[in-house]
Amino acid sequence: MCGRFTITHPNEALAALFDAVPGNDLPVGPRFNICPTQSVAVVTSDVGQRRLRAMRWGFLPSWYKTPTDGPLIINARSDSIAQKPAFREAVRARRCIVPASGFYEWQTGEDGAKLPWYFTRRDGAPMALAGIWQPWGEVDTVAIVSTEAGPGMQGLHHREALMLEAPDWPLWLGEAGHGAAVLMKPAADGLMQCHRVDRKVNSNRAEGPELIVPLAA
């Protein structure tokens, strides 16, 4: 996790929420099935100025000669991020926030079928997912940081995306000094809600608001 997510909030609303200057190359929304290798909006802090920028979801280490030189890296584990050669410089110097309106997680049904669930914040606000980024050639690439799953994951997976609350954004972005490691913990109990959605989202080609509609009982 996190392997798919949504952005249904407008870019203008995200820029206002994070007090960030929006770029002119941001992907157009709403988007209901964002998949790895696609362009996503990312918040960075550059010399005290936050920016909402487009990046490729799929972190490319500096030694990759092509995007397929190694595994597709979409997540970085919080418990090893500071030691892994691919991530240790990025987690020190290039932390970012990946806004999301919600994300999908799957459970395996009795017949082996993959059953999707859609997670959002209970308050309807965008999620602020912790990320790290890496320039690669002319492309900036990003991975979402994961941590151990909390009770909000409902036992569907042993990992969850690291969600940041607004008071913690300056620390994660490097605006408030050092010590961001203290933020690497599961979301508070009761922060998230989820519901089953149709299996059509299992296809990475599916798109549209019907993907997040609760499945009828």
Side-chain angles (χ1 to χ4, degrees):
M1 116 52 46
C2 165
R4 305 269 193 90
F5 66 96
T6 68
I7 282 288
T8 59
H9 295 83
N11 287 327
E12 296 79 4
L14 296 177
L17 175 65
F18 292 100
D19 192 22
V21 177
N24 56 15
D25 60 346
L26 294 171
V28 178
R31 302 166 70 196
F32 296 92
N33 191 12
I34 299 172
C35 303
T37 75
Q38 293 181 351
S39 179
V40 296
V42 172
V43 180
T44 62
S45 185
D46 305 316
V47 195
Q49 175 63 70
R50 291 183 186 173
R51 301 187 184 279
L52 188 65
R53 307 164 51 186
M55 292 190 187
R56 175 193 186 267
W57 184 21
F59 188 97
L60 296 176
S62 58
W63 57 83
Y64 278 25
K65 292 183 172 58
T66 73
T68 56
D69 265 8
L72 179 63
I73 304 172
I74 61 172
N75 296 146
R77 292 175 63 103
S78 62
D79 50 344
S80 59
I81 196 172
Q83 290 78 43
K84 289 289 183 70
F87 306 137
R88 59 192 179 199
E89 176 60 26
V91 76
R92 284 196 298 264
R94 292 186 299 277
R95 295 191 298 270
C96 61
I97 293 173
V98 182
S101 299
F103 64 82
Y104 299 101
E105 191 54 76
W106 281 262
Q107 70 177 152
T108 302
E110 294 182 359
D111 59 354
K114 296 295 186 182
L115 308 177
W117 292 76
Y118 183 58
F119 285 78
T120 59
R121 289 180 59 108
R122 288 187 184 276
D123 59 11
M127 297 174 173
L129 307 183
I132 56 173
W133 66 280
Q134 172 72 37
W136 189 86
E138 297 182 355
V139 179
D140 290 333
T141 69
V142 65
I144 294 171
V145 179
S146 73
T147 188
E148 62 184 68
M153 190 52 66
Q154 310 247 346
L156 292 177
H157 201 279
H158 65 285
R159 306 288 297 177
E160 67 179 48
L162 176 58
M163 277 191 281
L164 305 169
E165 294 301 292
D168 299 325
W169 298 347
L171 183 56
W172 184 257
L173 292 174
E175 300 166 345
H178 304 288
V182 301
L183 304 177
M184 297 186 188
K185 56 190 176 183
D189 192 15
L191 181 68
M192 292 191 294
Q193 61 185 3
C194 66
H195 58 260
R196 270 287 314 281
V197 292
D198 195 275
R199 283 189 285 177
K200 67 179 65 176
V201 77
N202 293 2
S203 169
N204 59 14
R205 295 185 295 273
E207 184 54 70
E210 67 276 9
L211 298 183
I212 64 173
V213 173
L215 196 65

